[in-house]
Amino acid sequence: MKIAFVGKGGSGKTTLSSLFIRHLAAAGAPVVAIDADINQHLGAALGLDEAESAALPALGEHLPLIKDHLRGSNPRIASAETMIKTTPPGEGSRLLRVRGDNPVYDACARPVELDGGSVRLMVTGPFTDADLGVACYHSKTGAVELCLNHLVDGRDEYVVVDMTAGSDSFASGMFTRFDLTFLVAEPTRKGVSVYRQYKEYARDFGVALKVVGNKVQGPDDLDYLREQAGDDLLTTVGHSDWVRAMEKGRPPRFGLLEDANRDALRALHTAVDATHELRDWERYTHQMVHFHLKNARSWGNERTGADLAAQVDPGFVLGEGIAAPA
């Protein structure tokens, strides 16, 4: 299952995504964690020190390798150079799986040991001084979108993505790549404004959205979120001494997380698993193609010098049972 955590800057989405990743790992589930935020903090939230976080390989730096691997023997893609972030898979493409190894994981993923298990962590890489004035941050997340387009995951397999803050996620079609999106909202007007904006943008694409209230301090906060989010409010998280210790670099055993917050993580887990039966791979593939054609017309054809609409395999539908070349 593919899960996104979104929310305004400072809402706590990275903290909550890291807690959910720890929860899944403690349950023994295979997890691929991806930091797609402009501010790269997921590694630290998972317990890496500053040097370890800085040493994580950036997906964007390995984009030629990623493209070459995913292209496989797809006859509709003339070369890896003609692949863009939205290029969809087709007959002959290589697909990524949550379990197992492949050259993309070998180059870009690093294991992170957590209580009760290990997860694979991948990062887009930070926005550097060299990018200022010449690059958009979303060019860095293109590698994530390309991987998600070629990733097949099944029940009890999880891909958790910490997205960039606010409504910036809508700068590409990546917001449609998830089975469930958790919007982390504080009980404030600014906190719920991002929720309203996200819900409005996502409505036309059938994006499944649930609100997780964070920094909830009492009944008034809870009532406010219920009033603003209605049935979209799934659960809430309050103050956590465990999180405070983690932010100081001294996390206790995960089993010592407060009961109320553990219950909140179980609610997230249950909600994610419930979406499996609702999966519509045809719609998922259609949305992928929709954004690819849109990007091709907007800038892709001109940049690559190719008709990128020809990359679309009209008979191909991504799905769990599909076979792909090794």
Side-chain angles (χ1 to χ4, degrees):
M1 312 301 291
K2 303 181 186 76
I3 308 105
F5 280 81
V6 301
K8 80 173 186 66
S11 64
K13 65 180 181 61
T14 298
T15 297
L16 286 180
S17 62
S18 72
L19 289 176
F20 189 56
I21 291 165
R22 289 176 184 271
H23 165 83
L24 293 173
V31 180
V32 174
I34 303 176
D35 191 343
D37 195 357
I38 190 169
N39 298 305
Q40 304 269 281
H41 296 311
L42 184 58
L46 292 174
L48 300 185
D49 61 31
E50 187 174 336
E52 291 171 326
S53 295
L56 292 170
L59 281 159
E61 294 178 359
H62 295 278
L63 195 53
L65 178 150
I66 294 171
K67 290 180 177 181
D68 188 63
H69 177 75
L70 297 180
R71 175 189 171 219
S73 60
N74 187 335
R76 295 177 179 272
I77 303 176
S79 67
E81 288 72 23
T82 63
M83 294 180 74
I84 62 175
K85 63 181 182 178
T86 54
T87 295
E91 188 68 30
S93 296
R94 292 192 183 99
L95 305 180
L96 302 178
R97 307 278 175 167
V98 174
R99 304 171 194 260
D101 297 316
N102 57 65
V104 175
Y105 289 162
D106 291 343
C108 305
R110 293 295 179 265
V112 177
E113 298 297 328
L114 301 171
D115 292 356
S118 174
V119 303
R120 282 184 168 122
L121 174 63
M122 299 197 294
V123 302
T124 61
F127 201 64
T128 66
D129 290 342
D131 298 315
L132 295 176
V134 297
C136 165
Y137 179 71
H138 300 99
S139 65
K140 290 184 174 293
T141 64
V144 178
E145 186 169 356
L146 193 59
C147 287
L148 291 176
N149 280 357
H150 289 75
L151 194 148
V152 178
D153 54 301
R155 184 188 294 276
D156 300 325
E157 297 177 335
Y158 302 89
V159 180
V160 181
V161 182
D162 181 19
M163 298 280 278
T164 191
S167 57
D168 286 354
S169 302
F170 292 97
S172 73
M174 193 159 66
F175 73 97
T176 66
R177 302 296 84 202
F178 302 100
D179 296 287
L180 188 56
T181 295
F182 290 127
L183 190 142
V184 181
E186 300 170 83
T188 63
R189 285 190 294 177
K190 287 184 178 180
V192 299
S193 67
V194 174
Y195 155 68
R196 293 197 189 99
Q197 190 176 32
Y198 211 105
K199 186 175 178 67
E200 180 181 352
Y201 288 161
R203 183 182 292 116
D204 293 340
F205 294 93
V207 172
L209 180 68
K210 287 295 182 182
V211 174
V212 182
N214 193 28
K215 306 177 186 179
V216 174
Q217 298 181 6
D220 287 346
D221 286 348
L222 180 58
D223 290 344
Y224 179 77
L225 287 172
R226 283 173 173 164
E227 174 188 324
Q228 300 297 322
D231 292 340
D232 286 340
L233 181 63
L234 175 64
T235 189
T236 63
V237 176
H239 173 77
S240 172
D241 290 332
W242 192 98
V243 168
R244 180 57 61 86
M246 179 268 290
E247 291 174 340
K248 294 177 180 177
R250 299 192 295 268
R253 288 189 303 104
F254 187 63
L256 298 177
L257 182 70
E258 300 83 359
D259 288 343
N261 293 330
R262 291 179 68 84
D263 288 342
L265 295 175
R266 293 189 188 100
L268 268 60
H269 197 167
T270 299
V272 168
D273 286 351
T275 66
H276 185 269
E277 300 302 327
L278 304 176
R279 279 185 150 184
D280 185 342
W281 285 104
E282 287 192 8
R283 185 182 72 177
Y284 186 86
T285 305
H286 174 77
Q287 289 176 338
M288 189 190 313
V289 170
H290 167 80
F291 282 104
H292 178 62
L293 296 178
K294 187 174 182 179
N295 278 267
R297 291 190 298 267
S298 177
W299 59 270
N301 290 343
E302 181 178 358
R303 181 173 298 180
T304 63
D307 177 12
L308 300 185
Q311 294 180 344
V312 176
D313 186 340
F316 184 87
V317 176
L318 195 66
E320 292 179 44
I322 199 165

